[in-house]
Amino acid sequence: MPATIDPGIIAKIEDLRKTLHHHNYRYYVLDDPEISDSEYDRLMQELIRLETTYPDLVSPDSPSARVGAPPLAKFDQIAHTLPMLSLDNGFADEDILEFDKRVQRYLNLQSEILYTAEPKMDGVAVELVYEDGKLLAASTRGDGVTGELITANVKTIGAVPILMRADRSSVVPPLLEVRGEVYIGIEAFKNWNAERMDQDLPPFANPRNAAAGSLRQLDSKITASRPLEIFFYGVGVVEDFVFESHWKLLQALKKWGFRINPLIRPRISIKDVLKCHRELSEQRHQLPYDIDGMVVKVDSLALQQQLGATTRSPRWAIAYKFQAIQETTVLEKIEIQVGRTGVLTPVAHLKPVNVAGVTVSRATLHNEDEIEKKDVRIGDTVLVQRAGDVIPEVVKVILSKRTGAEKKFSMPDRCPVCRTAVARIEGEAATRCINSSCSAQVKERIKHFASKGAFDIDGMGAKLVDQLVEKGLLTSFADLFKLDKETLAGLERMGDKSGENLIHAIEASKKISFARFLYALGIRHAGEHVAVLLADQFESLEDLASCSQQDLTDIDGVGPVVAESIANYFQQEKNLGTIQSILDSGAQIVFEAKRKTAKLDGKTFVLTGTLDGMTRRQAKDMITAAGGKVSGSVSRNTDFVVAGDSPGSKLKRAKDLGLAVIDEAGLLEMLGG
Ligand code: IVH
């Protein structure tokens, strides 16, 4: 028998859970938080602490359930009460007008039909089942009839209500099956993929694959670490509730705590549907997530019912797709690129093709296994795809176009640049050049060192680095600081003025934050994020260098592989020598104020316009070093908008929302001068 628990503790836990559920709703559904992220984290930590101390009080409905559950051996299957159908597709205005006619004919109606138009999220469909307001199960679409049970994974998504909201004004149904699309935002996808590449993990081709992969993890703690989001757009069974229209249903879902896309346009004529589609297709590249079209739905649920469905798709809805971002073209050759850590990446050279307005002539083939899996051969006609700013990739081979003249590709035995024998480590997808002095690796390491997130040397572009290495003027990044005007003057396309500017830029880069310095070193597995974690912990290079692998693993967010790589790096004399020579050439590391004194803790900033005394990057660094966050777009979550010269539409939006607008001087003042 457990010892009796103090009722005060029970009340405290209940209160914390209620408070956290409430703030979740304010943040995700209303996009209007009442407390800062750090305040929220503190409340969550307090709850987790109490639940750990009193395990008898642990509940599956607790907001703490988001951190993940014990791993599964496999996913169970679950049948959907109502099948999860697909949608018919339309690609031009005529297809949509024809759809409208079809609906009218079927209903034998002459009067205008009203539609609701929604962005078609390019993610993964899921169904969530709530009984008496409690999340009971979540599943994938599967084949539409049966899906996989992924409840623990879906629970980790912040915007998924673990309990539906019920108050005086909203009673919840005894059973609700709600459907939505899980996705990953573009910015989060890019950052995460960059981290993966830093860790020599294969990047995901696009946010949708990344979302699907994240949802299919048997260990929900892994899912919890992925930046998944969700919008809800429909229902299966809803007991005891009858709604008049799809729009009213969405409003009820919102009230119950489900996140609904704010861009949904309710009850519009078919003419306005077409207009809306044009607007959305223009707006699409500014959206923080991928959409692949618009879903047009008959708004009246009575009419939806009359229209019914075929075995494949409902008659009351159609997906109006955007222009394809996939095209076919011919793969002319495969070239090998050697990266900073020696990884050999096969790159497809394509017959140039226009993909949604951009000419694509190169696409990544990732690695040897991918080429084999897709059976890509030289001369093949292939489907290529680009999504946002992501590197284009070869999706598949069009086998029907094969003539038999295509040639198989195999990875070379030797590095194409330095001719050293390559190695492929058991269990890794990557083939590597193991010669760390290989000129391709040297070039890439220097480019990384000078890149925006590292020393940020303005003017030190890829071509210039190539030239300097080829001429023997640079053999390691430490040599960058030894360059002088005379040496630069002898280079192609280098005038006096640009040489001078470059020397200035090198000089200016020497003062650098600890996080950027660590990132610049290019330690394997230590990307920008890990560098920030380390810089937060250590006040000197010596402290970090003397750490064991175990010490490093103790840092939250640093796993054993990363820790081993870092400890290993600092054990090698050669690396210590390189660091010493960077410091000897005058590099000055600024050890960041520790988070404990963070002045801007939990505050979100948006920068707009040109700043006078600092670059945006510098402003961003200063804000993050002081515990603040910098976001790319203005929303109600923004605390301060920093406006420089010629600010853009962000300033207008900030004013419309009544947000605090400060100038550069105001920012410096907040940072303590
Ligand atoms: S309604 C009967 N609304 O598109 C199907 N679907 O091709 C009703 N999707 O599997 C679906 N955004 O995953 C609907 N606003 C939206 C959507 C949406 C994305 C996906 C969904 C579905 C697929 C159908």
Side-chain angles (χ1 to χ4, degrees), residues 207-503:
R208 177 169 30 79
N209 289 6
S214 302
L215 273 184
R216 293 203 76 260
Q217 294 292 329
L218 289 167
D219 183 352
S220 53
K221 293 214 168 52
I222 298 182
T223 312
S225 72
R226 305 280 170 86
L228 294 172
E229 302 188 54
I230 191 166
F231 275 126
F232 294 90
Y233 56 67
V235 292
V237 171
V238 192
E239 266 179 16
D240 291 0
F241 276 78
V242 178
F243 296 98
E244 180 194 318
S245 68
H246 179 64
W247 177 242
K248 286 211 168 137
L249 164 73
L250 292 178
Q251 297 310 300
L253 288 178
K254 183 167 175 182
K255 207 159 158 191
W256 286 330
F258 298 100
R259 187 165 176 254
I260 307 296
N261 194 317
L263 299 177
I264 295 178
R265 296 281 302 270
R267 300 187 198 180
I268 52 175
S269 68
I270 200 71
K271 242 169 106 192
D272 285 340
V273 164
L274 304 183
K275 191 162 148 245
C276 221
H277 183 266
R278 274 192 295 280
E279 286 165 8
L280 195 60
S281 73
E282 273 162 27
Q283 199 184 355
R284 122 184 228 214
H285 297 293
Q286 268 84 56
L287 293 180
Y289 44 76
D290 276 343
I291 59 175
D292 57 350
M294 194 171 93
V295 185
V296 185
K297 301 176 180 173
V298 170
D299 190 53
S300 152
L301 293 188
L303 295 184
Q304 281 193 10
Q305 184 118 48
Q306 281 185 51
L307 285 156
T310 67
T311 47
R312 211 190 82 86
S313 51
R315 291 194 192 87
W316 45 263
I318 189 165
Y320 188 175
K321 294 293 217 49
F322 294 132
Q323 202 187 346
I325 51 165
Q326 294 189 330
E327 287 298 340
T328 52
T329 185
V330 175
L331 186 152
E332 294 174 332
K333 66 172 185 178
I334 296 177
E335 196 187 64
I336 297 292
Q337 262 175 17
V338 184
R340 172 165 63 87
T341 57
V343 173
L344 269 54
T345 304
V347 176
H349 286 227
L350 309 164
K351 185 161 175 249
V353 61
N354 188 306
V355 187
V358 174
T359 305
V360 173
S361 55
R362 302 259 193 289
T364 178
L365 290 161
H366 301 298
N367 54 49
E368 192 174 13
D369 290 351
E370 280 289 311
I371 296 183
E372 222 153 83
K373 198 169 91 194
K374 292 178 181 158
D375 187 23
V376 177
R377 302 181 193 179
I378 299 155
D380 265 333
T381 297
V382 292
L383 187 69
V384 290
Q385 143 174 308
R386 76 174 191 94
D389 298 343
V390 185
I391 309 163
E393 66 148 7
V394 171
V395 182
K396 63 172 185 182
V397 174
I398 311 292
L399 287 173
S400 59
K401 295 264 169 114
R402 252 202 196 149
T403 62
E406 296 77 11
K407 288 202 193 67
K408 279 208 171 193
F409 169 83
S410 50
M411 286 298 264
D413 301 335
R414 295 187 169 276
C415 167
V417 178
C418 72
R419 314 302 306 161
T420 305
V422 299
R424 188 169 164 183
I425 297 165
E426 201 56 51
E428 273 190 28
T431 306
R432 270 172 213 287
C433 161
I434 48 168
N435 168 20
S436 65
S437 320
C438 167
S439 70
Q441 288 187 46
V442 171
K443 285 176 184 170
E444 294 310 310
R445 282 202 295 269
I446 297 173
K447 288 174 200 168
H448 172 81
F449 186 84
S451 71
K452 279 225 172 313
F455 270 76
D456 192 14
I457 305 176
D458 204 18
M460 187 56 74
K463 291 224 166 73
L464 182 59
V465 173
D466 289 347
Q467 214 190 132
L468 287 163
V469 174
E470 279 154 24
K471 290 207 152 78
L473 298 168
L474 287 182
T475 54
S476 84
F477 43 63
D479 291 349
L480 272 173
F481 295 127
K482 300 188 188 122
L483 287 174
D484 54 29
K485 240 166 56 186
E486 290 67 38
T487 317
L488 291 176
L491 297 172
E492 289 159 33
R493 279 180 307 219
M494 178 68 71
D496 278 355
K497 187 74 194 149
S498 35
E500 209 167 289
N501 287 346
L502 190 55
I503 296 293

Side-chain angles (χ1 to χ4, degrees), residues 607-612 616 641-652 655 663-664:
L607 308 172
T608 178
T610 321
L611 301 174
D612 226 14
R616 278 198 193 205
V641 172
V642 185
D645 282 345
S646 357
S649 59
K650 289 177 189 168
L651 179 61
K652 184 179 172 316
K655 287 191 174 151
D663 58 7
E664 195 173 326

